[in-house]
Amino acid sequence: MERFKLRLVMEERRRSDVYPAEVLAGIDRIADLVRPFLTAQELADQPEALRDVDVLLTGWGAPVIDAALLERAPRLRAVLHAAGSVKHVVTDAAWERGVVVVSAASANAEPVAAMTAAQIHLAARGVPGSRRVYRAERSLAASRVASGARDSTVGLVALGEIGRRVAQRLRGTGVRMLAADPFATAEAAEALDVELVSLEELFERSQVVSLHAPLLPSTTGMIGEALLERMPQGATLINTARGGLIDEPALIEVLTRRADLTALLDVTVTEPPASDSPLWTLDNVELTPHVAGSMGADRAAMGQLVCEELERLIDGRPLRHEITQEALARMA
C-alpha cells in the first residue's frame, strides 16, 4: 500500500515541544514525513511544497487552509492540527473540498482543567483574599479570611470539554457544583454531580465562578455588571477560557467598588492588557500570561494525539478527534 506523504507546517518556536523526537519517530514509522519542516511564511514562498502532499500536520502558526492553498495542494485530504481551535485555520473552501480536519484541543484541555481546578480549590479556601490581608496586616491573624472548601459552592459556566474535566476533578472534594449551559442535558449534569441552573442563579449562589464558555457573538461580553454584582461577599471569578467573555470595563468598575471580590484572569480581552489598564493595579485582580493551556513538554500530548489520529486515518478506522463544520460553529 502506498504510504501517505506528509508536510509539517507551524511556527518554529514551539515545534520541538509539540513534535518531539519520539512523536516524529512514530509518524515516520507509518508515513513519509517530508523534511525540512516549514513555517507558514516559508510555505508561502514555496508554492509547490504541497503539490503531492496527502496530509498536512500543523500547530501554532498554522497556514490558513483557503482556496489559494488548496489550489496548490490538489491531493490534500486531511489537516491534523496539534493545537487548540481550528476556527481561524479552516475556511469554507476546505469544507467544500471535503478535507478531513482533526484538532488536538482535547489534549490541550487537560492542563487547562488541572490549573483551573487548582485555582478553584485555592479560591474556595479563601486563599486569594487571605493573601491580600496578610500582605496588608503582616500578621497570622489574616488566616481568619481563609476557610475550608467543603460545602462551598462552585459555579461552572459551560460544560464543554474543559468544564466537564473540571467537574470530574472536583467530584468527591466536598464542594457543591452548579453549571449554566443551555446545551447540557440533565443526564450529563447528573453524571457529574452538577446542578443545572440559570446564569443569574449561578452567580448569585457561587463562592467561586469559573468560565468555560466558547467565545461567540452571543457570548461576547456576557459577564457584565448585573451578573458580577450578584456575586456573594468574598467570591472569586476565574477565567481560563476567553477574555472576551467578560465586559472588562464593567469588571473593573465592580472590582473597584467591591474589594471583597477577586478575579483570577489567565486571559483578557487584549493580551497583555494596556499598560495603563487598572487590571494591573487593582489589588483584587491576579493576572497570569495565558499559561493555563499546554506549556513546554506538556505540548507533546497534542503531537501524540495527531500521530494516533494519523494512524487511524491511514488504517481507515474512525477518527476520535475529527472536527465537523457544524461542530466548529459552536466552538471558541
Side-chain angles (χ1 to χ4, degrees), residues 127-258:
V127 171
S130 66
R131 186 183 295 132
R132 294 197 297 275
V133 175
Y134 194 25
R135 185 185 303 117
E137 297 183 358
R138 303 188 183 187
S139 166
L140 288 178
S143 64
R144 69 184 183 277
V145 181
S147 63
R150 183 168 292 275
D151 293 331
S152 61
T153 300
V154 174
L156 304 176
V157 179
L159 285 176
E161 179 81 31
I162 296 172
R164 290 194 304 272
R165 292 183 185 228
V166 171
Q168 289 164 354
R169 285 173 175 268
L170 295 178
R171 288 183 66 186
T173 64
V175 303
R176 290 185 293 271
M177 289 187 286
L178 311 178
D181 188 330
F183 301 105
T185 64
E187 294 76 17
E190 184 178 1
L192 292 167
D193 291 335
V194 169
E195 177 186 355
L196 289 176
V197 297
S198 69
L199 194 58
E200 291 76 13
E201 183 177 350
L202 182 146
F203 270 80
E204 214 162 69
R205 292 174 54 188
S206 301
Q207 280 81 44
V208 184
V209 174
S210 186
L211 307 185
H212 302 287
L215 185 62
L216 305 168
S218 60
T219 62
T220 298
M222 72 175 183
I223 310 302
E225 182 179 5
L227 287 175
L228 295 167
E229 284 288 11
R230 288 175 178 264
M231 298 183 78
Q233 183 77 15
T236 299
L237 175 68
I238 298 172
N239 192 6
T240 55
R242 293 289 188 269
L245 296 173
I246 299 175
D247 177 346
E248 275 186 7
L251 176 67
I252 290 167
E253 199 275 329
V254 172
L255 291 177
T256 300
R257 284 191 288 101
R258 291 192 56 183

